[in-house]
Amino acid sequence: MLVFTLVAILLHGMKTSGTVIREGTLMGTAIGTCFGYWIGVSSFIYFLAYLCNAQITMLQMLSLLGYGLFGHCVVLFVTYSVHFHSLFYILWLVIGGLSTLRMVAALISRTVGHTPRLILCGTVAALHMLFLLYLHFAYHKIVEGILDTLEGPNVPPIQRVARDIPEVSVALVNATVKMVGITLQSH
C-alpha cells in the first residue's frame, strides 16, 4: 500500500509542478519507478544479504523496504505541498533518516560480522536516502524529458475564445471567395 501511496504522491507532485499529463504516461512512469525501486532494490539487497550471510528472507526484505517507504511518502507529501528546499533537507535527514535507521537496525540484528554489516547496511542506507533525493529533485525533470522524447516538445494548444470566431470566419470567407474568383477567372 505504501508503494501505491508513493505513486499517488508523485502524481500529486507532478500536477502541482505544472507538468502536463498526456495520455496517462505519468501514471505508468510513476508506477514503474516505485515498483521498480521496491522490487529491484529488495532483490539486490536480498542477494547482498545472501552474500553477507544475513538471515533474512525475500518476503522480509520486501516488507522491510516497503515499510521503509513511509518516510519517503511523508517527506514528499509535505515538501510537494510546501516548497522550501531547506524544509526538504530537514525532513530528509529526520524522517528519511529514521526510516532508513529502522531498516538498518533490522538488518544489523540479522547479520554476523562487522564488515558484512557495514557493507549491507551502508548499501541499504545509501540507496534508500538517494532514492528520496532522486524523487524530490530529478524525477520530474526526467519524466518531462521522456515525455518530450516520446511525444515531442510540450507545446501548448492554440487557445481560441469566442471573440476570435468572427475574425476566423471572416478570414475563411475571404480566402474562399479569393479561391473561387481565381478559379472562375482561369476558366
Side-chain angles (χ1 to χ4, degrees), residues 2-6 9 34-35 37-39 62-76 99 103 128 131-132 135:
L2 282 168
V3 178
F4 283 118
T5 304
L6 186 58
I9 290 170
C34 294
F35 275 93
Y37 171 77
W38 179 50
I39 294 170
L62 284 167
S63 297
L64 190 63
L65 193 66
Y67 283 119
L69 291 175
F70 176 76
H72 288 42
C73 291
V74 170
V75 171
L76 291 175
S99 174
M103 292 187 339
H128 203 63
F131 183 63
L132 183 54
L135 289 178

Side-chain angles (χ1 to χ4, degrees), residues 68-159:
L69 291 175
F70 176 76
H72 288 42
C73 291
V74 170
V75 171
L76 291 175
F77 183 72
V78 169
T79 56
Y80 284 161
S81 301
V82 180
H83 301 285
F84 293 119
H85 288 300
S86 58
L87 176 65
F88 168 75
Y89 287 120
I90 291 169
L91 293 177
W92 178 70
L93 283 173
V94 174
I95 296 176
L98 287 173
S99 174
T100 303
L101 187 63
R102 174 64 185 116
M103 292 187 339
V104 165
L107 287 173
I108 283 177
S109 69
R110 297 174 176 269
T111 309
V112 178
H114 295 295
T115 303
R117 283 182 183 169
L118 184 63
I119 292 170
L120 186 61
C121 296
T123 305
V124 167
L127 288 173
H128 203 63
M129 295 297 280
L130 289 174
F131 183 63
L132 183 54
L133 281 175
Y134 164 76
L135 289 178
H136 183 75
F137 290 110
Y139 177 74
H140 300 295
K141 302 291 183 210
I142 290 174
V143 170
E144 287 174 1
I146 290 170
L147 289 175
D148 288 345
T149 302
L150 294 176
E151 301 172 0
N154 186 10
V155 179
I158 297 173
Q159 299 292 321

Side-chain angles (χ1 to χ4, degrees), residues 21-32:
I21 298 175
R22 290 175 273 178
E23 300 177 18
T25 306
L26 293 181
M27 180 167 283
T29 306
I31 288 173

Side-chain angles (χ1 to χ4, degrees), residues 175-187:
T176 305
V177 168
K178 286 180 186 176
M179 290 299 284
V180 169
I182 292 172
T183 307
L184 289 176
Q185 288 177 354
S186 65
H187 287 271

